[in-house]
């Protein structure tokens, strides 16, 4: 959530890439199912979703390795159905890097440029430039099997960037890297994207990665885009229970809208508890309340009388994660609620222990009311 | 730790079974290649005689050291000088090399695309295709070559088909020509080219082809800049597997070829069985072997160089 997301209202009217209800079936599995999606110029766009939801297939459709069974894929306003992969101004960084083992690092980076019939000197200059860009100066003569995993990843990146594609597709580019290198690479990718002014589409199933690098994220489920928005919007205003549960941690409470009044609604759950939430919903609607753990306050003693939405319970599990601690609190009726507290002060032990009695509260505007 | 060091200490006491396993290939080579080769080498240094065996000298162990001295002094390189001095052998060698080179080229041109197509066929169909390539092995080689005589003879299947199709008026002479030899050789050796080539195409990483296409390389060019350079070892192995035996081939040229220019295998056969000149035949065989070491050595050299480059 640290990215400076380009707010959706700032987006230009004409998308660079447009999927128009595209379907791709393998046998009777719909890997991509009537999917529509717009990606704009200069965007760093992430495809996020569980394994097998069709992310790779979507990239391969755009690169031209798969043909859609239905729908249209537009690039710069033109249907690219008839354009073979080698003519598309789109380059892909493969998940396994797919470096040519018989060529040197420089040969790999130069491969795409050679296909364009560029002059030797121009190619050499561009290769130098790309190797400098990914900080691999001096390794041009090595072969891929003489490199470390991280270096190989950089060669793959340099190779896919060398032709300055209109769109760069990255299929889980950091899956093989350790956490430190991964974080470093994430920032380098963001910096590169901003500097080169290209459009990046990255596939990942790591949500913190998607949130770190991307301006916008498309959350996918079973071949469809369930929500496409900025990271903050996806996190704070998920459009469905599924998105709320998939992105980040969440407590879900199901209930019925009892009454509404000036943008505030009173929700009643099965156990007869009442909640006040800030939401515009119709009375009588079946809804779910989604509560992020960090928005719930924990009180060691009884909550102040004016605190809204208070609940009493007992700590049943404590997880110390360094910067934050997560508490699982069992309410009197057995429901377990998760709450996160930032560890602001340096304390040797936990302030709250298992079996401590606690009171929870949350403000009406902390909750997300979901009708789907 | 202690366990490991004790294992190391007992290194000299590796079980007899383990040693036998390591030694087995060497024993095999010693028994079935080196010893026969030394015998042939010895015969090639002898001189022809009307005796049993038909050459001299024969090592007489009963005569002790003197026998050995007589034996060694009886050896000479005469046969090699004879071979070198007679054009017949030289032509025979050159003819063999030419036939082997031409047929290996044809085999590459036919076999490589076939192997490539097999490797690109649907996964489920590939075992069947491999079986089809190997199917001819189920019939005796000799019978298959005789079948070709039937096909190629004047009133054979080939001429009948050509006349039926109106491509020729009169039956063409196929049998006893170089063309017949090439047909027979390419037919016989095709599996030896296809199988190694298929093996190297089959384990090929498909995403490399996609990466090449992604970077703007059309399909046909990908074959030359990615597939071939990565698969050359399999192709070279196939080519060698065809070239080497074709140089010494006897059956196909003898049954299908003409009598004017004979290959070295036929010359050898004539020396051995018709002229009963074992020493000359052995000298031809040894010279042939030395000749064939060249392509094998080149292949080895290229391979080790490639391995060195990669390190
Ligand atoms: N070539 C193929 N043949 C048959 N089914 C395929 C093929 N490629 C993908 N699929 C199926 O399509 C669905 C989507 O696959 P895809 O590779 O796009 O998923 P993904 O989102 O990239 O998953 P992951 O995160 O695990 O990489 C899966 O159910 C997969 O089994
Ligand atoms: Mg994938």
């Amino acid at each position: 959530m640290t990215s400076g997301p380009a707010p959706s209202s700032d987006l230009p009217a004409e998308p660079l890439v447009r999927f128009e209800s595209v379907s791709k079936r393998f046998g009777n599995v719909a890997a991509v199912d009537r999917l529509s999606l717009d990606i704009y110029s200069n965007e760093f766009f992430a495809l996020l979703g569980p394994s097998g939801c069709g992310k790779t297939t979507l990239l391969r459709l755009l690169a031209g390795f798969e043909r859609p069974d239905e729908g249209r894929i537009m690039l710069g306003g033109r249907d690219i159905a008839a354009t073979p992969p080698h003519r598309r101004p789109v380059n892909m960084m493969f998940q396994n890097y797919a470096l040519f083992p018989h060529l040197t690092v420089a040969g790999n980076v130069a491969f795409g440029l050679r296909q364009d019939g560029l002059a030797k000197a121009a190619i050499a200059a561009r290769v130098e430039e790309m190797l400098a860009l990914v900080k691999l100066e001096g390794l041009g003569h090595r072969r891929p099997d003489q490199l470390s995993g991280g270096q190989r990843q950089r060669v793959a990146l340099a190779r896919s960037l060398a032709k300055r594609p209109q769109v760069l597709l990255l299929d889980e580019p950091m899956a093989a890297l350790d956490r430190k290198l991964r974080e470093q690479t994430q920032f380098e990718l963001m910096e590169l994207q901003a500097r080169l002014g290209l459009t990046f589409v990255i596939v990942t199933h790591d949500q913190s990665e998607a949130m770190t690098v991307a301006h916008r994220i498309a959350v996918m489920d079973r071949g469809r885009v369930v929500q496409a928005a900025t990271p903050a919007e996806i996190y704070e205003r998920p459009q469905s229970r599924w998105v709320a549960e998939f992105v980040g941690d969440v407590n879900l409470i199901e209930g019925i809208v009892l009454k509404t009044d000036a943008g505030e609604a009173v929700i009643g759950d099965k156990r007869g508890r009442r909640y006040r939430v800030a939401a515009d919903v119709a009375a009588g609607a079946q809804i779910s309340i989604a509560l992020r753990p960090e928005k719930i306050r924990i009180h060691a003693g009884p909550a102040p009388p004016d605190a809204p939405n208070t609940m009493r319970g007992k700590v049943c599990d404590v997880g110390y994660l360094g910067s934050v601690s997560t508490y699982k609190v069992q309410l009197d009726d057995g429901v377990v609620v998760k709450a996160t507290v930032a560890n602001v002060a340096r304390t040797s032990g936990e302030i709250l222990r298992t079996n401590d009695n606690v009171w929870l509260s949350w403000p009406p505007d902390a909750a997300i009311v979901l009708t789907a | 730790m202690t366990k490991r060091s004790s294992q190391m200490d007992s290194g000299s006491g590796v079980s007899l079974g383990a040693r036998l396993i390591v030694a087995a290939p060497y024993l095999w080579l010693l028994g079935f290649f080196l010893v026969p080769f030394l015998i042939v080498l010895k015969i090639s240094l002898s001189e022809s005689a009307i005796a049993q065996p038909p050459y001299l000298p024969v090592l007489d162990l009963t005569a002790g050291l003197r026998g050995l001295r007589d034996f060694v002094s009886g050896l000479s390189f005469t046969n090699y000088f004879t071979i070198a001095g007679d054009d017949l052998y030289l032509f025979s060698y050159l003819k063999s090399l030419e036939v082997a080179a031409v047929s290996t080229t044809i085999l590459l041109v036919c076999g490589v695309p076939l192997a490539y197509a097999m490797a690109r066929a649907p996964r489920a169909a590939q075992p069947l295709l491999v079986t089809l390539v190997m199917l001819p092995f189920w019939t005796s080689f000799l019978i298959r070559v005789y079948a070709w005589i039937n096909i190629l003879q004047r009133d054979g299947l080939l001429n009948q088909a050509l006349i039926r199709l109106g491509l020729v008026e009169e039956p063409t002479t196929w049998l006893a020509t170089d063309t017949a030899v090439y047909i027979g050789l390419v037919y016989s050796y095709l599996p030896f080219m296809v199988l190694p080539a298929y093996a190297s195409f089959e384990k090929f990483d498909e995403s490399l082809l996609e990466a090449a296409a992604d970077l703007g390389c059309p399909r046909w060019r990908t074959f030359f800049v990615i597939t071939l350079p990565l698969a050359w070892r399999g192709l070279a192995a196939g080519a060698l597997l065809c070239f080497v035996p074709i140089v010494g081939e006897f059956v196909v040229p003898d049954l299908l070829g003409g009598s004017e220019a004979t290959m070295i295998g036929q010359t050898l056969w004539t020396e051995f069985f018709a002229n009963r000149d074992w020493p000359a035949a052995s000298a031809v065989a040894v010279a042939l072997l030395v000749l064939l070491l060249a392509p094998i050595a080149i292949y080895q050299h290229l391979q080790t160089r490639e391995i060195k480059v990669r390190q």
Side-chain angles (χ1 to χ4, degrees), chain A residues 274-287:
Chain A
R274 295 286 148 96
Y275 305 96
R276 272 171 45 218
V277 299
D280 247 340
V281 280
Q286 278 276 355
I287 56 107

Side-chain angles (χ1 to χ4, degrees), chain A residues 55-56 95 171-172 203:
Chain A
K55 307 179 294 287
T56 298
Q95 185 168 353
D171 194 355
E172 307 205 20
V203 159

Side-chain angles (χ1 to χ4, degrees), chain A residues 24 26-27 29-32 49-58 60 66 95 171-172 203-205 220:
Chain A
K24 174 69 197 175
F26 294 108
V29 180
V32 170
S51 191
C53 70
K55 307 179 294 287
T56 298
T57 307
L58 198 61
R60 292 172 58 81
E66 309 283 359
Q95 185 168 353
D171 194 355
E172 307 205 20
V203 159
T204 175
H205 46 224
M220 290 181 63

Side-chain angles (χ1 to χ4, degrees), chain A residues 111 178 246 333-334:
Chain A
F111 188 88
D178 66 52
F246 183 74
D333 53 14

Side-chain angles (χ1 to χ4, degrees), chain A residues 295-309:
Chain A
K295 303 215 161 58
I296 299 179
R297 298 189 52 197
I298 301 193
H299 313 267
D306 60 331
N309 302 320

